Amino acid sequence: MALDVSVIGGSGYAGGELVRLLLGHPEVNLKQVTSERLAGKFVRTTHPNLRKKTDLKFVASDKLEPCDVLFLALPHGISMKKLPEVRELAPIIIDLSSDFRLNSGGDYPLWYSHEHDDLEALGKFVYGMPELHREAIREADWIASP
């Protein structure tokens, strides 16, 4: 049975590559891809390499429907602001930004030059590097992609 998967922030480079990989995955049904400024336009208009691979159109994030897995492919510093709005949409969330890679809010100014906005969520994400956290990743609901 295929997993219903959605991507928030599918118009950028990382989001486009993620969409490409998900479209080719036999156990994934790519349900929705968001872009606020491109809502209503075909995903292939921004990612021409996806012509003939999908007829999906971008949707605004407030139109997202529940899914099995939700990817956040947003710029650094934006995922932490978006998570409170979308955390109930999927039991599994995978963030591609740096926003949840560290467990301590005090580390963010040192390593990323900004404060963290969602201290409650820190520590709930598993750093998704299998060489370090293989077993924890298997059980995790929230993963911070390296």
Side-chain angles (χ1 to χ4, degrees), residues 17-93:
E17 282 299 291
L18 175 60
V19 167
R20 181 184 64 79
L21 291 169
L22 292 170
L23 285 169
H25 196 293
E27 295 179 26
V28 166
N29 170 42
L30 186 56
K31 188 172 178 178
Q32 292 180 295
V33 179
T34 76
S35 172
E36 301 308 312
R37 67 181 171 84
L38 299 172
K41 296 188 180 201
F42 286 104
V43 171
R44 65 178 177 256
T45 60
T46 302
H47 304 295
N49 59 316
L50 300 179
R51 285 187 201 122
K52 299 184 182 178
K53 293 186 179 185
T54 184
D55 286 327
L56 276 173
K57 290 184 177 182
F58 289 111
V59 298
S61 59
D62 65 347
K63 303 290 187 218
L64 274 172
E65 299 169 359
C67 57
D68 298 315
V69 180
L70 181 63
F71 281 90
L72 303 177
L74 296 165
H76 305 301
I78 304 300
S79 288
M80 71 174 100
K81 293 172 179 26
K82 194 71 171 170
L83 182 65
E85 297 172 32
V86 301
R87 66 181 358 140
E88 300 301 323
L89 289 174
I92 298 173
I93 297 176

Side-chain angles (χ1 to χ4, degrees), residues 114-136:
H114 62 79
E115 297 291 328
H116 201 283
D117 291 348
D118 191 354
L119 298 177
E120 177 189 330
L122 287 182
K124 293 182 180 179
F125 279 78
V126 171
Y127 187 57
M129 184 176 282
E131 296 85 352
L132 298 177
H133 305 289
R134 185 174 311 277
E135 293 306 315

